[in-house]
Amino acid sequence: MNAVRNILMRREAGIFVMIVLFCLAVGIAKPQFLTTNSLRIVLLLVPLIMIGAMGQMLVLVARHVDLSIGSILGLSAMVTGMMFRYHPEIWWPLGFAVSIGTGALLGLFNGTLVTVFKLPSIIVTLGTLNLFRGLTYIISNAKQIDRQYVPSALKAMSQTSPVFGIPWIIIIAFSVALLTYYFVMHTRVGRQIYALGSNPIAAPLRGIDVTRVTLLVFTISGALSGLAGIMYASRWGFVNPSNTGAGFEFQVIAAVVIGGVSINGGVGTVLGTVLGVLLLGCVSSALPLLGIPGTTQNAIYGSVIIIALIIDRTVRRQGISSIARRQA
């Protein structure tokens, strides 16, 4: 009974219940929503967000935020797409290394600005959001990478795989989530990220190299955004300098805060983040069925972020009050 109670008391249980209730409510109005075809649509909507959410979760847990991940996705995808366009003879899997490496360098640049100049991450990444987007226009001369330049094998990764026909991008996204779980739960650096976010003042006193950990989380976030970049090319078959990755940061942050990751650092789980991503995927899939314009998605994401922040702040205050009452 205690084990069942512990499961029900977990924050992730609430998100899971929300997903079930949402799916049932939409299914009653539109029965076609509760089909395997709709499940496939949901799973194809979430891989990019899930990969970006894993990196953003680490950044938020360390008490920072990365608003530039959408532009990192776009710039990484553009660099890789231009490689495919001008050097079609190159072995196409090399594109993964190029895209991930580009994203990692851009993330390291963010982390360096934050740690060396002691600048707020929200201001730094707000600036690099525009800087990276501008660089995408400059290197591409504002020209799109069209579908014929994206290797067919790369595009096929979004359609199927030898594993029960599940598209590779879905397998990769959940594999990234599993690796992130292992990293944060079973490595010393993973635990240091939580310790840093919980109390950044005490962290150095406990022997934590704050600069190294901060650089690491921003670099990982950038690298995962780079991975999302080449998967964008696989999923959609083109790279456009203006809309590839645009608004991606808001979808990711919405999914992460829905999943219970605290914007104040130190709190958050991989399972909660995965559930938050799946809930957003269900919402995105349901909107067209319910006749709600897709243009309302940004308003929904913004509302979700505000509500999640209010809930997070309320829970924290109640927790602090509870501790104070017990100590009194």
Side-chain angles (χ1 to χ4, degrees):
M1 289 299 293
N2 287 335
V4 174
R5 180 181 298 175
N6 289 336
I7 292 174
L8 293 175
M9 289 298 291
R10 288 177 65 92
R11 199 165 180 175
E12 292 84 357
I15 307 167
F16 179 75
V17 171
M18 285 176 62
I19 294 175
V20 173
L21 293 177
F22 178 82
C23 291
L24 288 176
V26 177
I28 292 172
K30 300 289 181 181
Q32 62 268 39
F33 185 72
L34 300 177
T35 61
T36 54
N37 186 49
S38 289
L39 176 62
R40 181 182 174 87
I41 292 173
V42 170
L43 292 178
L44 282 173
L45 284 171
V46 300
L48 273 63
I49 300 175
M50 187 175 297
I51 290 173
M54 292 300 121
Q56 189 70 245
M57 185 199 80
L58 296 178
V59 175
L60 284 176
V61 168
R63 202 175 279 210
H64 291 285
V65 67
D66 189 349
L67 298 178
S68 68
I69 56 173
S71 296
I72 293 177
L73 184 158
L75 182 51
S76 301
M78 183 56 72
V79 170
T80 308
M82 291 178 68
M83 182 188 76
F84 289 142
R85 182 165 64 184
Y86 294 116
H87 301 282
E89 74 282 1
I90 284 181
W91 189 45
W92 70 269
L94 188 62
F96 279 89
V98 172
S99 192
I100 294 172
T102 302
L105 287 175
L106 298 175
L108 179 62
F109 179 69
N110 279 335
T112 302
L113 291 177
V114 171
T115 55
V116 173
F117 298 102
K118 309 297 180 187
L119 297 172
S121 58
I122 190 171
I123 302 300
V124 168
T125 55
L126 185 62
T128 54
L129 179 154
N130 291 289
L131 172 63
F132 297 156
R133 182 62 63 184
L135 287 175
T136 305
Y137 275 103
I138 292 171
I139 66 169
S140 66
N141 201 21
K143 293 181 178 176
Q144 174 174 295
I145 303 296
D146 291 324
R147 189 173 182 81
Q148 68 266 27
Y149 297 113
V150 179
S152 299
L154 178 60
K155 289 181 285 192
M157 293 184 69
S158 295
Q159 298 166 2
T160 187
S161 79
V163 186
F164 304 110
I166 301 171
W168 276 114
I169 61 170
I170 297 175
I171 296 173
I172 292 173
F174 280 93
S175 298
V176 168
L178 285 174
L179 289 173
T180 306
Y181 173 80
Y182 178 82
F183 174 67
V184 298
M185 298 300 293
H186 298 287
T187 67
R188 183 181 179 186
V189 177
R191 291 190 290 272
Q192 288 179 341
I193 294 172
Y194 281 89
L196 172 61
S198 298
N199 194 334
I201 296 175
L205 303 177
R206 298 174 61 183
I208 296 174
D209 189 335
V210 175
T211 299
R212 185 173 68 92
V213 173
T214 304
L215 287 174
L216 181 65
V217 295
F218 276 102
T219 303
I220 292 175
S221 176
L224 291 177
S225 299
L227 175 59
I230 190 169
M231 289 174 64
Y232 181 98
S234 170
R235 178 74 177 88
W236 302 109
F238 69 90
V239 182
N240 186 285
S242 64
N243 59 29
T244 296
F248 180 66
E249 57 277 359
F250 295 111
Q251 297 176 26
V252 167
I253 291 174
V256 172
V257 296
I258 289 171
V261 177
S262 172
I263 203 80
N264 294 307
V267 176
T269 65
V270 171
L271 176 60
T273 303
V274 169
L275 291 173
V277 171
L278 291 176
L279 179 57
L280 274 195
C282 291
V283 172
S284 298
S285 175
L287 290 181
L289 281 177
L290 297 173
I292 300 174
T295 51
T296 61
Q297 284 192 11
N298 287 337
I300 293 173
Y301 293 152
S303 302
V304 164
I305 291 174
I306 292 172
I307 293 170
L309 285 175
I310 293 172
I311 293 174
D312 179 69
R313 179 58 60 89
T314 304
V315 169
R316 277 179 172 260
R317 282 179 176 174
Q318 289 178 348
I320 293 172
S321 301
S322 175
I323 293 172
R325 283 196 298 271
R326 284 200 297 267
Q327 290 177 342

